[in-house]
Amino acid sequence: MTSYGVAPEQDWNALGNEEFRTLVRSDFEQHYPAHLRYPSRRLLWSEQDDWYLRMARKGWIAPSWPVEFGGMGLAPAKLLIFLEEQERWGIARFQDHGIRMIGPVLIRYGTPAQQRRLLPPILRCEQRYCQGYSEPEAGSDLAGLRTTATPDGADWVVDGTKIWTTMAYDVTHMFLLARTGSAGAKQAQISFFLLDLAMPGVTIRKIRDMAGEEELCEVFLDRVRIPGDNLVGAVNQGWTVAKSVLGFERIHVGSPALPTSGLRLLEQVAGARGLADDTAFTDQIAGLRLDVEHLTAVYEEFALRLERGEELGPDVSMLKLWATETFQRIADLVIEVAGPAGGCAGAVELGGELVPVLSAYYRAKPSTIYGGSSEVQRNIIAKQVLKLPSA
């Protein structure tokens, strides 16, 4: 064991790319449970814990983290191979923001004491995180949040409500933004905290979505005490930390994984409906495949930039916009191609198989909203990338 995690079996970056791909592919195909491949919904921790605890013991839980912090330390090309093989084999994406977001944030902004205390339990999957950004009535204006944090001795006392918090009931911790100041720009009044959801004063209410799932939650914070050493970054500097988290989130949401899964469902439905050789349909799917191929190329460029340690600029909004709206077009075509089955909830028998026709549609609609809606992404691109004047 290193001070943070499992010591790497070897220097993965010393392997050739194809040798590394063969090794990773063999491991995934041999050990990943077949019944968990290509899930149509987010899996609960209890459904995937065996796999990810194995990955933790193996030292593969954090492929992008540096070796000195317990990760695999994969170079950009190796990391892309690792992620490609996960997606190719249909491995459910780990729904833990601790690995994907908080770990990189602590490595960049955390104190050495915070890194020593907080990174090891994330690597062991003992502490798993959700995101506490959105609030009722705040819409997409993240800087307009109303949750407050007031200093009280060595602690902060937090009051407020967070909403659309994914899987809050299935994790142990939340990272959140709270207002800690009252002067200057709204963005300069916000701080970034880590919260143990077992603390007194935390109430979690599930929200049932249109697919009948309960992935989303509302989280009520009533005089919840957060230790002072769970403040990440300086007081009133949380906006800087939050933007880096949004960069990590948007590159993950901007992955080609969603539209690729949509294409797989579209091909299955079209085959069952006997449309695989229909000229009009093949023209449509060819255009969508090209969109996904182009998205993949752009995604790889952003991933390389991130792994070189570069800050992601506002142009990463293009990635999120492209991926989610392409996925939505694919999901809409699935319903059209499915014919009468396109209006049926649950698995529908098509071509002798049970097919969850609406599963892509259910995921596509919210994907254009979470992580910043499509309208917000367009505003960011217009103002911060293209420098267009305000109306």
Side-chain angles (χ1 to χ4, degrees):
M1 296 284 290
T2 68
S3 60
Y4 288 95
V6 178
E9 300 171 37
Q10 57 183 298
D11 180 0
W12 303 113
N13 295 319
L15 300 177
N17 285 348
E18 289 311 307
E19 182 182 5
F20 179 71
R21 185 185 296 276
T22 299
L23 184 151
V24 170
R25 178 175 294 185
S26 174
D27 185 272
F28 291 168
E29 292 184 356
Q30 182 178 352
H31 296 287
Y32 188 71
H35 69 282
L36 296 182
R37 294 182 66 197
Y38 301 112
S40 59
R41 58 171 175 80
R42 296 180 194 267
L43 298 183
L44 296 170
W45 170 243
S46 60
E47 296 175 291
Q48 58 183 337
D49 57 348
D50 286 345
W51 170 252
Y52 281 105
L53 289 172
R54 174 188 177 272
M55 294 286 276
R57 292 191 298 269
K58 190 176 175 62
W60 284 20
I61 194 71
S64 66
W65 291 21
V67 171
E68 58 267 32
F69 288 102
M72 293 179 73
L74 298 184
K78 297 292 192 304
L79 178 62
L80 289 174
I81 289 170
F82 191 91
L83 298 177
E84 286 169 2
E85 290 303 313
Q86 281 186 319
E87 293 174 2
R88 186 194 68 85
W89 196 241
I91 294 176
R93 177 169 289 174
F94 194 20
Q95 299 301 334
D96 176 29
H97 290 339
I99 292 292
R100 291 164 49 193
M101 298 178 189
I102 291 304
V105 160
L106 288 170
I107 290 169
R108 182 175 297 179
Y109 295 104
T111 65
Q114 287 177 323
Q115 293 166 350
R116 288 191 298 270
R117 178 169 59 90
L118 297 168
L119 292 179
I122 292 176
L123 288 167
R124 295 192 297 266
C125 303
E126 295 169 359
Q127 294 182 1
R128 304 181 308 280
Y129 283 78
C130 62
Q131 177 175 285
Y133 277 10
S134 298
E135 297 189 3
E137 301 181 17
S140 295
D141 179 16
L142 185 56
L145 60 87
R146 299 182 181 180
T147 295
T148 60
T150 306
D152 184 14
D155 297 338
W156 292 85
V157 178
V158 180
D159 289 281
T161 305
K162 300 295 180 178
I163 199 168
W164 314 126
T165 306
T166 304
M167 308 299 277
Y169 60 88
D170 199 45
V171 299
T172 63
H173 288 68
M174 171 193 282
F175 62 91
L176 62 91
L177 295 177
R179 193 165 300 285
T180 50
S182 57
K186 291 189 294 184
Q187 291 88 341
Q189 304 169 16
I190 293 171
S191 298
F192 189 101
F193 297 93
L194 306 181
L195 167 65
D196 184 340
L197 290 172
M199 292 294 288
V202 177
T203 302
I204 299 172
R205 183 178 68 85
K206 297 178 182 178
I207 300 172
R208 187 180 297 273
D209 63 21
M210 64 181 179
E213 302 292 346
E214 294 181 328
E215 298 178 354
L216 303 174
C217 303
E218 192 167 12
V219 183
F220 302 93
L221 307 170
D222 182 15
R223 296 197 59 76
V224 177
R225 301 189 76 87
I226 296 181
D229 55 5
N230 276 19
L231 169 72
V232 180
V235 176
N236 293 333
Q237 294 299 311
W239 190 254
T240 299
V241 181
K243 285 196 298 183
S244 71
V245 174
L246 286 172
F248 295 132
E249 180 179 30
R250 284 169 187 163
I251 194 169
H252 281 293
V253 178
S255 156
L258 274 178
T260 298
S261 69
L263 283 175
R264 190 164 46 246
L265 177 63
L266 178 58
E267 290 164 355
Q268 182 182 12
V269 172
R273 295 276 293 164
L275 297 174
D277 297 321
D278 180 86
T279 303
F281 171 74
T282 55
D283 284 348
Q284 286 177 294
I285 196 170
L288 291 168
R289 283 177 180 144
L290 284 173
D291 285 343
V292 175
E293 286 296 323
H294 293 155
L295 167 66
T296 301
V298 176
Y299 170 79
E300 290 178 355
E301 286 299 317
F302 277 100
L304 288 170
R305 197 187 304 177
L306 189 64
E307 292 311 310
R308 286 195 297 265
E310 300 174 12
E311 292 279 352
L312 292 180
D315 54 340
V316 73
S317 290
M318 172 183 66
L319 197 64
K320 197 266 183 184
L321 189 65
W322 192 344
T324 57
E325 294 200 350
T326 299
F327 184 38
Q328 187 161 312
R329 290 199 304 275
I330 293 169
D332 289 343
L333 185 56
V334 169
I335 293 175
E336 180 183 334
V337 167
C344 299
V348 181
E349 185 173 350
L350 284 176
E353 295 183 80
L354 290 176
V355 182
V357 173
L358 287 175
S359 61
Y361 181 81
Y362 288 145
R363 286 183 294 159
K365 288 297 182 183
S367 74
T368 61
I369 300 172
Y370 60 63
S373 68
S374 291
E375 290 77 12
V376 168
Q377 307 307 325
R378 285 187 167 86
N379 280 339
I380 291 172
I381 293 169
K383 294 180 180 179
Q384 299 184 35
V385 180
L386 300 178
K387 308 297 183 184
L388 297 178
S390 299

